[in-house]
Amino acid sequence: MSVLKIRRIPIALRLFLTVLLTALVISTVSLWVLHWNMQRNFTKYVADVEMQKLDHVIHNLAGVYGVYHDWGNAIQAQILQIEGQAGPEDYDRLSRWWLRRQYDIALQQRYFEEHTLMNVAPTLAEPDPQKRQASQEELKWLEMNLPSEYRPFEGLKFPLSAQQNTTRVNQGSAQNPRPNQPQSDGKKQFISMPDRLGLSSRLALYDAKRQFVVGEPAEGQMSYRPILMNNQVVGYLGLKPVLDQDDALSINFFSEQKRYLLLIYGLSFIASLLVAWLLATYFKKPIQRLLHGTRELTKGNYQYQVKVNRNDELGDLSTELNQLAVILDQHETSRRQWVADTSHELKTPLAVLQAQIEAMQDGIRKATPEHLDAMMRQVSSLKKLTQDLADLAQAEAMQLKFYLAPINPWQVIEQEVENFRPKFEQAELSVRLEGEAVPLKLDIDRFKQIMVNLIANSIRYTEAGGQVHIHSEQTATEWSVYVDDSPFGLTDEQLARLGERFYRVDDSRTRSTGGTGLGLALSAKIAQAMGGQLSFAHSPLGGLRCKLTFPIPTKQ
């Protein structure tokens, strides 16, 4: 037992751990899914944002495809525009470089368009006249050397190995694309724009069936933008995401996000800890009060009341527990009264018998038939009392045996009234019967027992010259018999106590007539056990009305 007590986990602790662990599991799973989803989809989101910067490239590629109607033919034809004798690897190098060159051309064209729009309002773009003049000259020079997407390699000559750098023939920058020395032969200069976002190294061209054509292929994720011509897809421009899980930039980015997620997780843990503790405390206090209340009931303190002011199941439980305490207190009071009454009822006839026997032993009385008859009446009273006690105990324990059979209850009443005729005459009472027969399914002996008690009670408590009226009443579902008598009448308080064990309205009168005070209580229990009901009210004749009701069996 000691081991079980040590290992027992209180319900408040269980509730605390359950709420805490549930909150932690939900937070852990949510943050892990968020982190996983960010690693999986955020790089694609960044690539989609970058793809929006490639609208000019896509527009140019659509125009190129409209001229050649095939990507391979377009690349080959534009390479053949270069003058001179190609080296062994020049065609391969230019094929790999063709898409990057288209990107450079789109950058230059967009750069020119943006700065041209800025010079529409020169005072707003550059208030200094000298600087504005230099900017205008630069735009004129850029316009003269502005490349075309249809001649991407203009300014190059074969062989490429004779030039310094295929991708940067003339050094320039986005801020100053103009070279230091002008071109003297009248041809456009080859200018390469700086790629700050590094998009050109991640571009790839695919045909309409998403078959790789040229560029930088990617085995993993790829963002695609369709290339449309006359509302028909002729190819796709693909962009490899810049954020890769193995890149230093990506590692730093996701490390920073992980720190924020861990901070959120820590705050969630603290909040869950606080909420779980408050919730456990909220339930622990009323449970402890209920536990203390049950312990008081176990000790026999039935007047103890649990105070739990809650509008939930625990509040309902406390109300039911308090009601149980009231019922137990009533039962205990009734039990004590039962024992006291029983001992009192048994003590009187036993004392009389003892006195009579002692008188005979001392020679004061002789064992005459009269004295023996008086002793026999006391024995009969004891026998009736013990039999009534036994029957009442069995009735309350639902252990009385019944043998139900179809009977005519009114015929039984007529027979019992006839049996009591001498007593009615002796008590100078008139009796009147008015009723009709109805088939009921009852135990005839138990029904007789009830009627005997009711009739005897009327004879016992009705004054001489009074009357007893027995009549029946019937509805579609019930049959009732009324036993009305004339005064003695009862007060409302006396009427409310009828049916209690050992309760007598006139104790001295009942003892003189041999009553035990159990008849009405026993009759009520027997009637209830057979599916009926015995109730009491004031009689129209001025005395007591006893109403015995039974349900009428339905026809099968």
Side-chain angles (χ1 to χ4, degrees), residues 396-505:
E396 290 182 341
M398 303 299 290
Q399 293 179 352
L400 276 179
K401 293 182 180 180
F402 294 93
Y403 301 96
L404 303 179
I407 66 168
N408 185 345
W410 188 250
Q411 184 178 1
V412 174
I413 293 173
E414 290 177 332
Q415 293 174 355
E416 292 303 321
V417 170
E418 199 60 34
N419 293 335
F420 274 92
R421 186 73 64 178
K423 291 190 177 183
F424 279 111
E425 295 175 355
Q426 183 181 359
E428 300 178 4
L429 301 176
S430 63
V431 59
R432 181 160 53 100
L433 294 175
E434 293 178 351
E436 56 184 9
V438 62
L440 296 179
K441 198 170 184 179
L442 302 172
D443 186 319
I444 188 170
D445 294 330
R446 296 297 183 184
F447 180 71
K448 285 182 180 181
Q449 187 177 0
I450 296 175
M451 293 309 303
V452 167
N453 286 331
L454 297 181
I455 296 172
N457 186 75
S458 293
I459 295 174
R460 187 178 301 117
Y461 287 98
T462 304
E463 291 179 331
Q467 57 179 321
V468 177
H469 183 202
I470 302 175
H471 60 98
S472 68
E473 184 179 79
Q474 182 178 343
T475 64
T477 58
E478 293 180 339
W479 179 86
S480 302
V481 59
Y482 296 87
V483 180
D484 289 320
D485 56 43
S486 57
F488 294 117
L490 285 79
T491 64
D492 291 338
E493 182 181 356
Q494 290 173 334
L495 190 66
R497 296 193 60 187
L498 279 182
E500 294 182 8
R501 293 167 293 192
F502 298 113
Y503 177 70
R504 300 182 181 91
V505 176

Side-chain angles (χ1 to χ4, degrees), residues 166-177:
T166 304
T167 59
R168 296 185 182 275
V169 177
N170 292 295
Q171 301 299 322
S173 65
Q175 290 79 15
N176 184 23

Side-chain angles (χ1 to χ4, degrees), residues 57-66 71 98-99 102 205 227 237:
V57 180
I58 293 174
H59 175 74
N60 289 352
L61 292 176
V64 172
Y65 188 89
W71 295 114
W98 178 81
L99 187 59
Q102 289 290 350
L205 180 64
I227 302 173
L237 183 63

Side-chain angles (χ1 to χ4, degrees), residues 209-276:
K209 297 180 180 180
R210 291 204 180 183
Q211 299 293 323
F212 176 76
V213 177
V214 71
E216 300 293 335
E219 297 180 357
Q221 282 186 336
M222 199 76 170
S223 296
Y224 296 95
R225 287 284 298 274
I227 302 173
L228 302 176
M229 190 181 68
N230 298 327
N231 294 326
Q232 184 178 359
V233 178
V234 298
Y236 293 90
L237 183 63
L239 179 65
K240 182 181 178 181
V242 65
L243 293 178
D244 192 355
Q245 296 182 6
D246 297 330
D247 294 340
L249 180 62
S250 301
I251 293 173
N252 292 333
F253 172 78
F254 289 116
S255 297
E256 187 70 19
Q257 298 303 315
K258 190 177 295 184
R259 281 195 292 270
Y260 284 113
L261 293 179
L262 290 176
L263 177 61
I264 295 173
Y265 186 78
L267 295 176
S268 301
F269 174 77
I270 295 174
S272 302
L273 189 67
L274 180 61
V275 171

